[in-house]
């Protein structure tokens, strides 16, 4: 197990483009969190979107390997799973590592939001409200767990198309729903998003459960074999 985790981490470090992009967005996210006590509910929601996009960049860095080749003038990127499977790692182990990485990243982002509430409270003074923290965590949780459908259910061959599609959906969601937050207090906005976070968690758990069960069936030869598609997991 440790051998596979180390191999995946080494591949992760080589995705410098995605890591730099995620790091820059994470830095901007941290700076904007400092003013979350001063900004309204709409500000907190939009800031959280930046943190979520940073989360997706790190996900891409984990999913893709630095290896690639060309087929008919089309560049095909090799996934991390394809690389580590050559070391003898089972698909089930890879799914476990994938889930562990995504959840660890989620916890780190939540801790970042929590820690930066301290300077945000000092900057805002008496105007600070703990509902800023609750709202940011709720919005981030809803987006992360709903995205598990893309990360675990959508075939990896369509992953690079699904991620921009999901980002477009989030953009539409932001433009359509977040505009209403301007008229809400942070407490009211939290109450609205709380149930969306619950739905997101349910979607995420079902997506992971489906992927894990499917992986077990595949390893036992229970699914009909098909010809592999280059670029898929």
């Amino acid at each position: 197990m440790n051998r596979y985790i180390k191999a995946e981490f080494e591949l992760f470090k080589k995705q410098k483009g995605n890591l730099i992009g995620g790091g820059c967005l994470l830095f901007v996210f941290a700076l904007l969190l400092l003013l979350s006590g001063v900004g309204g509910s709409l500000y907190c929601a939009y800031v959280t979107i930046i943190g979520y996009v940073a989360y997706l960049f790190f996900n891409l860095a984990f999913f893709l390997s630095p290896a690639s080749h060309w087929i008919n003038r089309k560049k095909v990127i090799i996934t991390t799973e394809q690389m580590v499977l050559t070391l003898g790692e089972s698909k089930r182990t890879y799914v476990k590592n994938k889930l562990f990485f995504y959840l660890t990243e989620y916890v780190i982002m939540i801790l970042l939001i929590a820690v930066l509430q301290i300077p945000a409270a000092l900057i805002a003074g008496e105007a600070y409200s703990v509902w800023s923290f609750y709202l940011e965590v709720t919005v981030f949780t809803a987006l992360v767990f709903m995205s598990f459908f893309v990360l675990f259910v959508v075939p990896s061959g369509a992953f690079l198309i699904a991620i921009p599609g999901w980002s477009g959906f989030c953009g539409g969601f932001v433009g359509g729903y977040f505009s209403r937050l301007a008229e809400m207090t942070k407490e009211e906005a939290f109450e609205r998003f709380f149930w969306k976070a619950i739905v997101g968690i349910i979607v995420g758990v079902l997506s992971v459960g489906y992927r894990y069960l499917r992986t077990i069936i595949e390893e036992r030869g229970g699914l009909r074999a098909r010809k592999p598609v280059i670029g898929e997991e």
Side-chain angles (χ1 to χ4, degrees):
M1 175 71 76
N2 291 335
R3 177 192 178 196
Y4 302 138
I5 293 176
K6 183 178 179 181
E8 290 174 30
F9 182 66
E10 290 298 323
L11 293 173
F12 174 78
K13 291 192 299 182
K14 293 183 181 298
Q15 283 291 313
K16 295 183 179 179
N18 287 316
L19 291 178
I20 292 174
C24 291
L25 285 174
L26 192 62
F27 178 74
V28 173
F29 176 55
L31 289 180
L32 294 177
L33 282 175
L34 297 176
L35 301 176
S36 61
V38 179
S41 56
L42 185 61
Y43 176 87
C44 292
Y46 274 119
V47 167
T48 307
I49 288 293
I50 296 176
Y52 172 68
V53 175
Y55 175 87
L56 288 181
F57 265 95
F58 290 119
N59 287 351
L60 282 173
F62 176 83
F63 177 80
L64 300 175
S65 77
S68 63
H69 62 275
W70 293 84
I71 295 180
N72 297 328
R73 298 182 180 180
K74 181 180 179 181
K75 188 176 182 180
V76 178
I77 305 296
I78 306 301
T79 65
T80 297
E81 181 178 7
Q82 289 174 297
M83 297 288 288
V84 295
L85 287 181
T86 61
L87 299 176
E89 180 180 21
S90 67
K91 285 190 175 183
R92 195 183 313 183
T93 300
Y94 176 77
V95 172
K96 289 180 180 178
N97 291 346
K98 186 178 182 180
L99 178 62
F100 175 77
F101 175 82
Y102 290 162
L103 290 180
T104 299
E105 186 186 359
Y106 166 77
V107 171
I108 291 174
M109 295 292 285
I110 295 299
L111 290 176
L112 176 65
I113 295 174
V115 169
L116 290 177
Q117 295 304 306
I118 298 175
L122 295 175
I123 293 173
E126 295 182 356
Y128 177 79
S129 171
V130 72
W131 292 107
S132 300
F133 170 68
Y134 295 153
L135 177 58
E136 289 160 354
V137 169
T138 304
V139 173
F140 188 74
T141 298
L143 292 173
V144 166
F145 279 87
M146 287 183 69
S147 68
F148 278 10
F149 178 81
V150 175
L151 300 173
F152 285 93
V153 177
V154 174
S156 59
F159 192 78
L160 295 180
I161 299 176
I163 283 293
W166 173 252
S167 300
F169 168 78
C170 291
F173 179 74
V174 168
Y177 187 82
F178 279 18
S179 58
R180 306 176 188 176
L181 298 183
E183 302 174 356
M184 300 181 189
T185 64
K186 293 176 181 177
E187 182 178 359
E188 291 173 337
F190 164 77
E191 292 174 352
R192 285 287 188 92
F193 269 97
F194 176 77
W195 295 108
K196 290 178 175 57
I198 296 298
V199 172
I201 291 173
I202 294 173
V203 170
V205 171
L206 291 176
S207 298
V208 173
Y210 166 81
R211 173 62 186 272
Y212 192 73
L213 180 61
R214 180 182 175 87
T215 301
I216 292 176
I217 296 174
E218 286 178 346
E219 288 186 340
R220 294 178 178 177
L223 291 178
R224 183 178 179 181
R226 63 183 178 86
K227 295 180 179 181
V229 178
I230 297 177
E232 288 198 359
E233 296 179 10

